[in-house]
């Protein structure tokens, strides 16, 4: 068992493709105010690209960090519609989600592409949150460890030891995203422990400090039980992050 000491506790809200200037302002101000009472928990929001300026403006001086939901694997060039990691860094982003299951499913992102994006994020001095998880069919076939292990192995193979020390992981069972279904705390812990053990076998130092977040229909009612698990260091929160009261309860858990 890898010690929990030295690992950051963090809750990140993933707004997905939601938001408007008016609704965002109320949400961000409420989250920024509520986060002042949570000194031991890191709080962040990952917003759509058009709203990053608003995040920077309204969260300035608050304990809440902000980040992007995706990034290009390229630094610059003829890639219309893409956003490079140095652009996000210049904007003040702290975190970048890479490999979210929706990107993998709807845009055909491969494990290698996901890690290439993570590398660009690291080179820009930001923190990548590498997402991984299995479908319901894969879980029912007993393939969970094989699937998430293969996704993680690409990162372990392609990133240097010093880079791994700056990476965060997010386990998001695809079958529990936006479905109302949630892995039990024991199911989630089992996968988190597997992932940490996989990292530990390659890089013991990184395994001790690498935060692994859980994403999969986390709600105010189940957050405390999930976050009490040995290897769950926080959450990547979807729908519940759009309601300030719910999100802050989850952060407080």
């Amino acid at each position: 068992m890898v010690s929990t000491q030295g690992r950051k506790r963090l809750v990140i809200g993933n707004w997905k493709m939601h938001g408007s200037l008016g609704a965002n302002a109320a949400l961000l101000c409420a989250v920024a105010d509520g986060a002042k009472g949570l000194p031991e928990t890191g709080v962040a929001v990952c917003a759509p690209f058009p709203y990053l300026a608003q995040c920077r403006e309204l969260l300035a001086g608050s304990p809440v960090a902000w980040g992007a939901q995706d990034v290009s694997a390229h630094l610059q060039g003829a890639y219309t519609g893409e956003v490079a990691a140095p652009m996000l860094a210049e904007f003040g982003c702290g975190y970048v989600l890479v490999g979210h299951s929706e990107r993998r499913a709807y845009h055909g992102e491969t494990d290698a592409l996901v890690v290439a994006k993570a590398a660009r994020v690291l080179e820009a001095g930001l923190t990548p949150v590498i997402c991984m998880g299995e479908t319901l069919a894969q879980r029912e076939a007993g393939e969970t460890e094989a699937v998430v292990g293969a996704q993680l192995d690409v990162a372990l193979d392609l990133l240097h030891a010093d880079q791994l020390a700056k990476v965060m992981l997010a386990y998001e069972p695809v079958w529990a995203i936006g479905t109302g279904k949630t892995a039990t705390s024991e199911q989630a812990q089992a996968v988190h422990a597997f992932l940490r053990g996989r990292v530990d076998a390659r890089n013991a130092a990184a395994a001790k400090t690498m935060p692994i977040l859980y994403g999969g229909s986390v709600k105010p009612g189940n957050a405390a039980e999930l976050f009490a698990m040995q290897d769950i260091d926080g959450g990547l929160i979807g729908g519940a992050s759009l309601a300030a009261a719910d999100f802050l309860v989850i952060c407080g858990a």
Side-chain angles (χ1 to χ4, degrees), residues 15 20-35 44-47 51-59 62 64-66 241 244:
W15 291 2
S20 67
L21 290 175
N24 297 350
L27 175 59
L28 289 169
C29 290
V31 170
D33 186 59
V45 295
C46 285
Y51 299 132
L52 292 181
Q54 188 183 29
C55 289
R56 179 173 64 178
E57 176 185 358
L58 296 182
L59 296 177
S62 83
V64 182
W66 66 95
S241 70

Side-chain angles (χ1 to χ4, degrees), residues 173 175-183 214-220 222-223 226 236-240 250:
W175 50 273
I177 298 176
T179 64
K181 297 181 180 180
T182 309
Y214 174 72
S217 295
V218 180
K219 309 177 187 69
N222 63 18
L226 286 163
L236 178 59
I237 314 302
I250 292 171

Side-chain angles (χ1 to χ4, degrees), residues 143-189:
E143 298 172 349
T144 296
E145 291 189 358
V147 171
V148 299
Q151 292 170 342
L152 177 58
D153 282 348
V154 178
L156 296 176
D157 290 340
L158 298 181
L159 297 178
H160 303 302
D162 59 334
Q163 291 178 312
L164 283 173
K166 302 173 184 176
V167 163
M168 301 180 72
L169 303 181
Y171 168 57
E172 42 162 22
V174 180
W175 50 273
I177 298 176
T179 64
K181 297 181 180 180
T182 309
T184 66
S185 55
E186 291 78 14
Q187 287 175 319
Q189 163 60 22

Side-chain angles (χ1 to χ4, degrees), residues 64-105:
V64 182
W66 66 95
Q69 299 173 341
D70 189 31
V71 69
S72 176
H74 306 284
L75 292 176
Q76 61 180 359
Y79 303 103
T80 301
E82 297 203 28
V83 177
M87 297 176 182
L88 297 176
E90 189 174 38
F91 229 75
C93 285
Y95 301 95
V96 182
L97 306 182
V98 294
H100 189 280
S101 63
E102 292 156 2
R103 299 293 309 179
R104 293 176 185 263

